Amino acid sequence: MKSHLIKLEEEAISIIRDTYANSEKPVILYSIGKDSSVLLELFKKAFYPVTIPVPLLHIDTGWKFKEMISFRNYIYKKNKLNGLVYSNTKGIKAGINPFNHSNYTEIMKTDALKNALKLGNYDFIYGGARRDEEASRSKEKVVSHRDKNNRWDPTNQNIEPWYIFNTLKRSEESFRVFPLSNWTELNIWEYIQKENIEIVPLYFAKKRKVVVSNNQLFLYDDNRYQLQKGDVIKELDVRFRTLGCYPLTAGIESNAKNINEVIKEITKSNFSERSGRLIDYDKIGSMELKKRDGYF
Amino acid sequence: MRSVSIMTCGSVDDGKSTLLGRLIYETNNLLEDQSKYLYQLNKKFAKKDIEVVF
């Protein structure tokens, strides 16, 4: 394995072990994406030969790509994981959707996450967020403190010398832990290739039915998609660089049908993977505001 | 691939982030959509006589 991948792997595994040793009710936030898949692999290695002693939690908004949900069920079953799923049922009953409700992310993702964390009374919450994804994630600590309302205050964090994590907290407060902090998108792909990690097929190009809307491509995953004026449905070779809720996650035209081709493509690309995520850019500093409020 | 770790020390508004940002810019590690976004930010917040702060 390439030396920088070994370094990143060792770092992540030691982050997992160090923090797990101080936790009482840890949980892994599993988003089904490629970063979560790598995180899961690192957890396997960190505890091998014991199976992962930490439950996985997926926050399901009801609007994830269908292929993500079937992949999640397959992975949970195959690895005999303690796999949990939580949805904001009140929001679903009220018909909150990404087309008509500007507070969709807040209700179906942030509130859902906060409710689920409260129910589980979790103290160490692992996530696959990386610093190269987005500005507010780039200043995030590896072990990041949250107050009892899950709020993030980037200017009031525990002091710690280098990688000696300070896991002191009051009861009901928690930590978000990011073992993949220093990985880039390319590192993730290199690691998936080396370790032969299974990922959702949506990451690879295939003829797919998409909606062309304002020069962006969205998967026509089911007939709940509300077409706007000017939208056209087409069949194109499309793949996704990140996966979220299908009406909010744009794909790209691509011929990259396997990992080697994906790596070749992103090495050449002049756009960040997050350029397809609408909610990151809905207003300036948007992700930071969401993160302060408890979003991942 | 070789990784480099950099630490900047300074007080508030000394230019720690500006220096790091400039290094990313100079080493061609800024992607198109990211730089477009920064120009947008700059338009909103920077003084008129500064073109871009990074």
Side-chain angles (χ1 to χ4, degrees):
Chain A
M1 192 157 31
K2 288 183 188 160
S3 66
H4 64 282
L5 288 182
I6 294 177
K7 261 188 212 162
L8 288 168
E9 181 189 64
E10 283 173 353
E11 180 187 84
I13 288 176
S14 78
I15 291 168
I16 290 168
R17 288 179 179 159
D18 279 8
T19 48
Y20 176 76
N22 287 306
S23 69
E24 282 171 27
K25 279 215 78 182
V27 69
I28 303 166
L29 275 201
Y30 179 68
S31 74
I32 320 175
K34 62 185 190 310
D35 302 327
S36 283
S37 302
V38 168
L39 191 62
L40 187 62
E41 185 69 21
L42 293 164
F43 263 89
K44 277 187 207 162
K45 288 200 181 191
F47 294 103
Y48 185 85
V50 175
T51 49
I52 301 175
V54 184
L56 273 75
L57 171 64
H58 175 233
I59 303 297
D60 193 348
T61 59
W63 289 87
K64 300 292 171 190
F65 294 84
K66 272 199 240 79
E67 282 185 70
M68 290 173 73
I69 301 303
S70 50
F71 183 83
R72 176 197 70 199
N73 297 341
Y74 160 73
I75 290 290
Y76 275 9
K77 211 173 156 188
K78 183 188 167 198
N79 297 291
K80 298 193 179 68
L81 297 164
N82 179 6
L84 312 167
V85 178
Y86 182 87
S87 294
N88 185 346
T89 42
K90 261 192 217 156
I92 289 177
K93 264 190 203 139
I96 303 292
N97 69 64
F99 294 101
N100 305 329
H101 303 94
S102 58
N103 52 0
Y104 164 79
T105 301
E106 191 187 328
I107 294 175
M108 299 310 286
K109 295 175 91 172
T110 311
D111 287 355
L113 175 61
K114 286 202 262 192
N115 292 344
L117 294 180
K118 203 170 186 180
L119 272 175
N121 201 17
Y122 299 114
D123 59 351
F124 281 66
I125 302 136
Y126 293 89
R130 309 185 328 264
R131 285 179 174 147
D132 92 319
E133 284 181 273
E134 196 276 335
S136 68
R137 284 183 173 167
S138 74
K139 67 176 178 189
E140 182 60 284
K141 297 182 59 163
V142 171
V143 177
S144 179
H145 177 265
R146 294 292 183 277
D147 74 6
K148 61 176 190 223
N149 298 314
N150 280 297
R151 286 181 184 277
W152 178 51
D153 182 356
T155 61
N156 188 16
Q157 289 287 319
N158 283 0
I159 293 171
E160 49 197 21
W162 304 110
Y163 272 55
I164 302 170
F165 300 122
N166 181 349
T167 52
L168 293 175
K169 64 172 191 66
R170 295 184 192 88
S171 66
E172 289 182 74
E173 295 177 344
S174 61
F175 290 106
R176 304 267 171 109
V177 185
F178 306 105
L180 303 179
S181 285
N182 292 332
W183 296 50
T184 64
E185 184 191 11
L186 185 58
N187 296 150
I188 293 290
W189 281 111
E190 290 169 331
Y191 193 73
I192 288 172
Q193 184 186 39
K194 291 274 178 246
E195 300 289 310
N196 210 4
I197 298 170
E198 283 180 281
I199 49 168
V200 185
L202 288 161
Y203 285 112
F204 300 118
K206 202 178 109 182
K207 263 240 168 347
R208 297 191 159 92
K209 200 170 174 185
V210 291
V211 180
V212 186
S213 179
N214 288 322
N215 289 323
Q216 287 192 297
L217 308 172
F218 297 96
L219 193 73
Y220 192 77
D221 209 23
D222 56 47
N223 57 17
R224 292 181 302 167
Y225 197 105
Q226 296 179 16
L227 294 167
Q228 313 295 315
K229 214 180 151 204
D231 287 0
V232 195
I233 297 182
K234 277 189 184 168
E235 289 234 338
L236 296 169
D237 284 309
V238 168
R239 71 173 201 92
F240 293 84
R241 281 177 81 180
T242 70
L243 296 178
C245 301
Y246 78 84
L248 299 173
T249 311
I252 50 167
E253 273 200 270
S254 163
N255 295 315
K257 292 192 167 60
N258 56 51
I259 297 213
N260 294 338
E261 289 169 10
V262 166
I263 288 178
K264 212 186 260 174
E265 184 187 276
I266 54 171
T267 323
K268 273 197 253 160
S269 168
N270 222 357
F271 288 89
S272 77
E273 61 179 327
R274 282 265 154 186
S275 62
R277 289 289 195 115
L278 303 192
I279 60 164
D280 289 6
Y281 296 113
D282 53 2
K283 56 180 183 259
I284 282 169
S286 172
M287 178 74 102
E288 168 142 353
L289 296 175
K290 288 192 185 74
K291 267 176 66 83
R292 278 177 183 264
D293 202 36
Y295 183 76
F296 232 84
Chain B
M1 196 194 295
R2 215 166 66 88
S3 65
V4 185
S5 300
I6 300 173
M7 180 173 74
T8 51
C9 299
S11 296
V12 175
D13 288 345
D14 273 359
K16 302 179 292 290
S17 306
T18 307
L19 174 68
L20 292 176
R22 185 76 200 189
L23 287 171
I24 291 169
Y25 174 74
E26 293 287 351
T27 49
N28 281 329
N29 280 306
L30 203 59
L31 298 167
E32 219 170 281
D33 58 310
Q34 293 169 329
S35 90
K36 197 171 137 199
Y37 179 65
L38 289 174
Y39 275 97
Q40 262 177 29
L41 278 184
N42 191 66
K43 230 187 213 162
K44 195 162 175 186
F45 295 111
K47 289 174 187 154
K48 279 207 177 74
D49 52 339
I50 303 175
E51 203 210 328
V52 137
V53 186
F54 56 76

